[in-house]
Amino acid sequence: MLAEGFKISPALILFFTLAVFVLAGLFSRVRGGTEYYPVAGARTGIVGAGAAIASNWMSAASLLGIAGIFYLQGYFALAYVIGWTGGYVLLLILLAGQLRRFGKFTAPEFVGERYDSAAARLLSAIIAIIISLIYCVAQYKGIGLIFSWIFGFDYTESLLLGAVVVMGYIVLAGTLGATRNQQLHYAVLIVFFIVPLMFIARELNFFWVLPQFGYGTALRELHGHTRGLFTQPFAHADVFQWCALAFTLMVGTAGLPHVLARFYTAPNLRDARWSVLWGIFFIGLLYWSAPAYAIFAKIWQARRGIVPDLETARESADMIVLLASDWAGMPLWLTGIAATAAIAAAFSTVTGLLITGAGAFSYDIYYRLLNPQASQSQCVRVAKGATLAMAILVVLLAANPPGLIAEITAVAFALAGNTLFPVFVLGIWWDRTNKYGAIAGMLTGISVTFSAFFLPQIFPALQGVLHPTSSALLGVPLVFVVMIGVSLVTPPPPESIRRYLVEKVHTP
Amino acid sequence: MSSRPPQSDPPAEDYRINFFRPRPGYMRQKVIYIWVLLTSWALFTFGFQLLLAWTAGTPQGEGPLTEITFFGFPLHFWYTGHFLIVWFIVLCFLFNTFVDRLTRAFRPRK
């Protein structure tokens, strides 16, 4: 239905946008920093740092996934919006300042240092790699779908093409030494996402100046068409499932390694704190808009009396941003800029995640455990190999995507929330937590996350309670209990680290 | 140093850190803020959903809160889709303002 031949104008827009990003990256590299440790620079200020948080955050899940899940599940999908913004509040209030004071820049480094254990460090590095992989699968699904729309190939071919282009992009940007200009990246993405929405709103006769508000009228019209089946709060899932999903995404956000890294890039802690406020605002601009795409697509169908069956709806959900634009009769270039925004977001996310994952492998596993005598260049070679291996693994997993983009991403959040979040919170807020507790906790968290895939099938009582996207509402309290219990029956951590907590981490 | 409250110097060799028993002084003040803000974070997010479920008249959740229209939206949609994000920004603002003030009070030279 979508793959109808090669579309020239979206392809050109995509090419030029990516070229502009690389060129802008070449000019901004003089300010220093790398993709692994990006430097926001004092010049950009807290607003610029906020835009950097948002640009780092926005992925195919935000640009395609939210609208897709909204199209299918209405109000229930707001749990994604709330989870992915409220998590920053949790992160800021509970962890950000103390983690920065602790002075370790990645999750494995923090765990290794705080718990003084190579095993805990290895476990957290493996977790960080799995999170990156799952997250990337969702991005690749988005890349595959959109390449399929632009180039007219089927999904698998487009996925392979997309994977090659991503690797080419990473290698090119890496060889040229181009860093991502995060402010430009954010500005282009948000404009490319909102402008088509304004045109769609105008075409469908809604308030188009602020389509974020204009879709309210559309909602009420839809309420009439569907007799409330779409707009009512618990039409698709009950209140427990809503809260479980939102909670999972929140703790996941607070535990996600590549989100945490942003707190180290601002020039000082105070700027880092204030930039979160702008970060939520900039992310909010996107999340206020994304549901409107889904609602407009629904309205278009409802006005024509089209009621897609569940299978068709599920298949088109992740493309609903482009479909909404297409159905409303928008010109190709306009749909093309929305497609470009999604591709650019997916590219930057994949780049960041593959580099984070490869870094965890080459530094935390290879250098720290396998070959401590390794030279710098050996580590770099291992990191490059790991990037390639992960990229291939992700393509294999994404060839047959197991769910919607937002759902796949949510599993990565569940894993982060069930493992790294408790390890961070207890590590910062309770000096008695030791390595045994941390290891037991992380193992419990991994078990909970992945048992959610099959336990409900075995025990029907768990259906509706334990779900792969929402396992942290049960998982996090369980992991906390395990960590506290195991820590109490084993020897306390070394005094040096407890003293460090008191003197460095919890002081003004 | 002299402007610090005297009780903020803990007895030597005491390195206990516990969220529920914060150390006197800076940490205790901060934990109080954290409690207040976390409570309002949870109440506004999850409390409202529970309220929706509690006031619902049908299994789909139709009730007084979904009947009201606000800015053209059904109230529950507007609250969760628009307002909660604004509220998160407000919470960040409050936290940052509190911590700025606290840091100034405990760090007079800077």
Side-chain angles (χ1 to χ4, degrees):
Chain A
M1 141 192 65
L2 274 168
E4 292 153 350
F6 177 66
K7 300 180 181 60
I8 183 82
S9 61
L12 282 177
I13 293 171
L14 176 63
F15 176 78
F16 278 113
T17 311
L18 293 179
V20 165
F21 284 154
V22 173
L23 283 178
L26 285 179
F27 284 107
S28 58
R29 85 179 146 163
V30 281
R31 280 193 281 126
T34 62
E35 188 77 41
Y36 201 16
Y37 292 131
V39 176
R43 204 166 57 83
T44 55
I46 57 170
V47 181
I53 289 180
S55 124
N56 184 52
W57 174 257
M58 294 201 308
S59 67
S62 301
L63 280 103
L64 300 174
I66 292 219
I69 204 89
F70 222 94
Y71 173 74
L72 288 180
Q73 305 185 320
Y75 185 84
F76 181 62
L78 282 176
Y80 283 89
V81 171
I82 294 313
W84 284 340
T85 46
Y88 275 95
V89 181
L90 198 57
L91 177 60
L92 172 71
I93 292 181
L94 219 45
L95 291 172
Q98 286 80 7
L99 276 178
R100 186 182 161 113
R101 284 245 169 71
F102 199 92
K104 290 290 165 229
F105 294 110
T106 65
E109 279 200 332
F110 172 82
V111 171
E113 190 72 20
R114 165 64 180 85
Y115 294 107
D116 190 29
S117 152
R121 185 189 187 116
L122 171 69
L123 201 53
S124 63
I126 292 172
I127 289 169
I129 292 172
I130 300 177
I131 291 171
S132 294
L133 283 176
I134 302 175
Y135 214 112
C136 271
V137 169
Q139 307 303 318
Y140 270 54
K141 184 186 178 190
I143 294 174
L145 286 173
I146 293 200
F147 269 49
S148 164
W149 178 78
I150 294 180
F151 297 103
F153 304 135
D154 69 21
Y155 173 74
T156 315
E157 289 165 359
S158 311
L159 183 66
L160 289 174
L161 176 67
V164 171
V165 175
V166 171
M167 285 313 283
Y169 186 71
I170 294 180
V171 171
L172 181 71
T175 333
L176 295 174
T179 56
R180 194 149 52 91
N181 184 325
Q182 313 235 15
Q183 288 75 30
L184 175 77
H185 193 260
Y186 175 79
V188 169
L189 255 61
I190 199 74
V191 169
F192 277 16
F193 192 72
I194 290 181
V195 166
L197 188 64
M198 293 166 89
F199 278 92
I200 298 171
R202 202 171 64 162
E203 181 68 27
L204 298 175
N205 294 320
F206 293 109
F207 179 57
W208 63 273
V209 182
L210 285 171
Q212 295 85 348
F213 282 99
Y215 84 88
T217 332
L219 263 179
R220 279 186 300 151
E221 187 186 326
L222 203 57
H223 183 78
H225 286 302
T226 62
R227 283 189 300 287
L229 273 181
F230 185 75
T231 46
Q232 293 306 344
F234 307 120
H236 291 269
D238 60 28
V239 65
F240 173 82
Q241 286 163 322
W242 197 100
C243 291
L245 179 58
F247 181 81
T248 302
L249 300 175
M250 283 172 167
V251 292
T253 306
L256 219 58
H258 77 282
V259 171
L260 276 174
R262 289 246 55 100
F263 282 94
Y264 302 107
T265 58
N268 61 59
L269 178 53
R270 188 173 174 274
D271 284 5
R273 278 194 281 108
W274 281 98
S275 65
V276 175
L277 192 146
W278 285 100
I280 299 182
F281 172 74
F282 287 133
I283 296 168
L285 275 185
L286 179 73
Y287 288 174
W288 283 316
S289 319
Y293 271 104
I295 303 293
F296 289 150
K298 272 269 187 212
I299 278 281
W300 188 88
Q301 289 189 317
R303 281 182 182 170
R304 280 156 188 77
I306 303 170
V307 183
D309 60 274
L310 209 61
E311 194 65 23
T312 322
R314 229 183 133 75
E315 256 171 28
S316 47
D318 276 334
M319 286 296 278
I320 212 66
V321 168
L322 302 193
L323 286 173
S325 174
D326 200 36
W327 288 342
M330 294 296 122
L332 264 184
W333 66 267
L334 204 57
T335 316
I337 66 172
T340 299
I343 287 284
F347 269 34
S348 67
T349 309
V350 166
T351 313
L353 287 169
L354 287 182
I355 288 172
T356 309
F361 183 80
S362 81
Y363 185 71
D364 295 300
I365 297 181
Y366 176 75
Y367 175 69
R368 282 296 175 132
L369 288 171
L370 300 178
N371 184 5
Q373 274 87 45
S375 66
Q376 183 84 32
S377 66
Q378 266 176 312
C379 286
V380 171
R381 267 207 304 280
V382 169
K384 282 179 180 165
T387 311
L388 191 64
M390 286 175 64
I392 293 170
L393 191 56
V394 169
V395 170
L396 291 177
L397 291 171
N400 201 356
L404 296 172
I405 292 175
E407 292 172 339
I408 303 171
T409 314
V411 175
F413 279 77
L415 181 58
N418 278 331
T419 54
L420 298 178
F421 177 72
V423 167
F424 285 141
V425 171
L426 281 179
I428 290 291
W429 288 105
W430 192 42
D431 66 306
R432 186 67 178 71
T433 332
N434 60 19
K435 56 183 170 185
Y436 309 101
I439 292 169
M442 284 191 279
L443 290 175
T444 315
I446 296 173
S447 318
V448 171
T449 310
F450 292 106
S451 68
F453 284 92
F454 57 86
L455 268 191
Q457 270 91 52
I458 305 171
F459 303 104
L462 285 172
Q463 266 164 12
V465 180
L466 192 63
H467 191 273
T469 59
S470 328
S471 53
L473 187 59
L474 299 178
V476 167
L478 182 69
V479 173
F480 269 102
V481 169
V482 168
M483 280 184 73
I484 293 171
V486 172
S487 294
L488 281 177
V489 296
T490 45
E495 189 171 287
S496 60
I497 199 70
R498 304 169 71 180
R499 184 169 166 184
Y500 187 76
L501 278 180
V502 170
E503 288 177 353
K504 286 285 182 326
V505 177
H506 288 287
T507 45
Chain B
M1 286 302 281
S2 58
S3 67
R4 279 194 189 183
Q7 73 269 23
S8 78
D9 281 328
E13 307 285 313
D14 176 14
Y15 298 131
R16 274 173 300 178
I17 293 280
N18 188 327
F19 186 73
F20 296 98
R21 263 171 286 155
R23 303 170 75 81
Y26 176 79
M27 188 180 168
R28 179 166 295 168
Q29 284 294 312
K30 196 166 178 183
V31 167
I32 292 173
Y33 296 154
I34 292 178
W35 271 115
V36 171
L37 293 173
L38 269 189
T39 311
S40 65
W41 168 84
L43 270 184
F44 276 74
T45 309
F46 302 108
F48 179 79
Q49 312 305 324
L50 295 173
L51 186 69
L52 268 185
W54 186 55
T55 56
T58 66
Q60 268 95 43
E62 203 162 349
L65 292 173
T66 64
E67 299 291 316
I68 306 169
T69 311
F70 202 78
F71 278 117
F73 283 78
L75 180 70
H76 65 296
F77 244 98
W78 176 81
Y79 177 91
T80 314
H82 281 181
F83 170 73
L84 258 185
I85 300 179
V86 177
W87 182 244
F88 291 152
I89 296 174
V90 171
L91 287 181
C92 290
F93 176 82
L94 291 176
F95 180 77
N96 284 334
T97 312
F98 286 153
V99 173
D100 278 355
R101 196 179 299 160
L102 195 62
T103 314
R104 261 201 306 278
F106 279 86
R107 231 191 207 173
R109 279 168 299 150
K110 209 176 170 193

